[in-house]
Amino acid sequence: MATIEKTGKRWRVRRFTDGKLRTVASCATKLDAETILRRLEEEERARGKAPRGSQLPMGELLARWRTAKVGAGNDPAHTAAAEAKLRNLCAARNWQATMSVTALSVSDYRQAGGSVGACRFLAGVLRWAHDTLDQHVDAKALRALRAGRVARRPSPVLMTDDQVAEAEQRAERMSVSAGTLVHCLATYGWRPISAAKLTVADFDPFAGTITCHVKGGDIVRHMVLPRTHRLLCELIAGKKQTAPLFLDPRTDQAWDLVRGISEWSRNHLRIKVYDLKRYAISTMLARGVPPQDVAAFTGHRTISQVLRYSRSNEERQRAALDAISGKDVESGDPGMPQEARPSGI
């Protein structure tokens, strides 16, 4: 049972659980509180349809999940595609109900090269089934589904300039759009999914700027280099403002937002796409760009998030040693061996 009440200038949504009346949400307007109240009532009705402790078949559970998500405003086509993938996955792995999804079976699936996107969607479905329909879900299975996000975890060693150039050339052989995409990811450190969402209208060729919708709903607008400007002008020639800026070279259509760029980079470029993001951020930091200015390109909210991507490699370590050595020579460090000092010091 849920209710709303006004406390001061705010409206509180409260629900009776475990013998106590607990606050679920605090809203600024009554309309927001009533919206949350209706959602809680719908969850109660859905929970009533499934007796507590019962195990719904995975097919019925997925159908209810899709209906609930579409009703909450999710994209119907995207949600239906996710449901179809999960149905095929559950049928292939013999996951007939939530209790059959165990940590061991999930581990076997991941070791066999299971899709990271499918794991993410399945984890969301299981959490929804547990919270809304009182279905039994193995907590260890949830941890196994979200552990080791291989597609997004960059390699421990930073890519070299030659490796990035080789990846860009390999992408250019597939299409100009793909080559430009790799160039942008390795230069500005965009999130791959943000790049996949860009349209022709997001690039302003007259001002030389591009607008990215980054994680959290924020909007980042920044200038681009002359080379980037030239490449993007070639891409948008003759296209409508609503057309995608970058196209999947395999289908010549818009990128799949779930796993398109990540899958393509692993299979065709033989690199992890987030390695390009790490390379871009590390390069900007190594060239003396302040972290707050780096965040203006990448869309990170804090400096600590930017610094998490900073890495080095053997080439940059040599350059650092040269810089350290040069400083020692200029300062005439008395600790330097006499034979290492230039003549005249």
Side-chain angles (χ1 to χ4, degrees):
M1 180 183 68
T3 183
I4 60 174
E5 61 181 34
K6 188 174 183 181
T7 305
K9 294 183 178 181
R10 299 189 66 84
W11 292 84
R12 292 197 300 174
V13 182
R14 311 191 73 186
R15 181 166 58 181
F16 192 78
T17 56
D18 299 331
K20 295 182 179 180
L21 194 60
R22 303 178 185 274
T23 299
V24 177
S26 178
C27 306
T29 64
K30 184 178 180 181
L31 179 61
D32 293 339
E34 289 176 343
T35 301
I36 296 177
L37 178 64
R38 285 195 295 271
R39 178 173 60 81
L40 293 176
E41 290 174 347
E42 291 173 358
E43 290 179 358
E44 290 290 342
R45 286 195 293 269
R47 187 178 291 111
K49 294 178 182 178
R52 187 176 181 85
S54 67
Q55 283 294 308
L56 294 175
M58 191 63 76
E60 182 179 351
L61 191 149
L62 290 172
R64 293 191 184 192
W65 172 79
R66 177 174 57 84
T67 302
K69 290 299 180 181
V70 172
N74 284 27
D75 181 19
H78 183 64
T79 307
E83 180 197 8
K85 291 179 181 178
L86 291 180
R87 283 182 180 274
N88 294 335
L89 171 61
C90 293
R93 307 301 298 187
N94 198 28
W95 289 336
Q96 302 299 330
T98 56
M99 65 183 303
S100 61
V101 184
T102 63
L104 181 60
S105 63
V106 170
S107 178
D108 292 340
Y109 170 66
R110 294 185 69 94
Q111 290 179 5
S115 166
V116 177
C119 289
R120 182 173 64 249
F121 274 117
L122 182 58
V125 171
L126 294 179
R127 283 192 294 268
W128 175 86
H130 177 269
D131 297 339
T132 305
L133 304 177
D134 287 338
Q135 299 293 291
H136 169 76
V137 176
D138 186 355
K140 293 183 179 180
L142 285 178
R143 288 195 294 270
L145 285 169
R146 68 173 181 264
R149 296 157 76 177
V150 178
R152 294 187 56 184
R153 180 181 297 168
S155 302
V157 179
L158 184 68
M159 296 179 67
T160 64
D161 298 343
D162 292 339
Q163 289 174 331
V164 173
E166 182 183 352
E168 185 175 343
Q169 293 172 1
R170 198 176 294 128
E172 284 179 350
R173 287 195 289 268
M174 298 188 68
S175 72
V176 176
S177 176
T180 305
L181 173 62
V182 172
H183 161 74
C184 291
L185 293 178
T187 304
Y188 305 105
W190 300 336
R191 293 179 68 236
I193 193 170
S194 299
K197 292 179 179 180
L198 289 174
T199 63
V200 172
D202 292 323
F203 173 57
D204 187 346
F206 302 103
T209 60
I210 195 160
T211 303
C212 294
H213 298 264
V214 297
K215 189 175 182 179
D218 295 339
I219 297 177
V220 172
R221 184 172 179 266
H222 64 79
M223 300 183 68
V224 296
L225 295 171
R227 184 193 174 198
T228 309
H229 184 272
R230 184 179 67 256
L231 292 173
L232 292 178
C233 285
E234 294 176 1
L235 281 186
I236 67 173
K239 291 186 178 180
K240 297 181 179 179
Q241 292 292 297
T242 56
L245 184 59
F246 300 111
L247 298 176
D248 189 337
R250 299 166 298 183
T251 62
D252 204 29
Q253 301 293 328
W255 285 96
D256 180 3
L257 296 181
V258 178
R259 55 183 180 178
I261 296 180
S262 297
E263 255 187 14
W264 171 73
S265 64
R266 289 198 309 270
N267 297 336
H268 297 276
L269 302 185
R270 297 191 291 278
I271 62 172
K272 295 179 181 178
V273 69
Y274 269 78
D275 286 346
L276 297 173
K277 181 181 180 71
R278 172 163 286 178
Y279 172 84
I281 295 175
S282 299
T283 299
M284 285 188 276
L285 292 174
R287 292 177 179 175
V289 181
Q292 60 269 25
D293 293 335
V294 176
F297 291 96
T298 62
H300 290 109
R301 296 183 179 182
T302 63
I303 293 177
S304 60
Q305 290 177 318
V306 173
L307 296 179
R308 283 171 51 193
Y309 282 88
S310 179
R311 288 293 184 275
S312 183
N313 57 27
E314 189 174 341
E315 290 181 359
R316 300 193 181 190
Q317 289 170 6
R318 288 200 191 99
L321 288 175
D322 292 341
I324 295 172
S325 176
K327 289 180 180 179
D328 288 341
V329 169
E330 294 174 0
S331 62
D333 185 356
M336 290 180 61
Q338 183 66 32
E339 61 273 13
R341 300 184 189 178
S343 61
I345 295 182

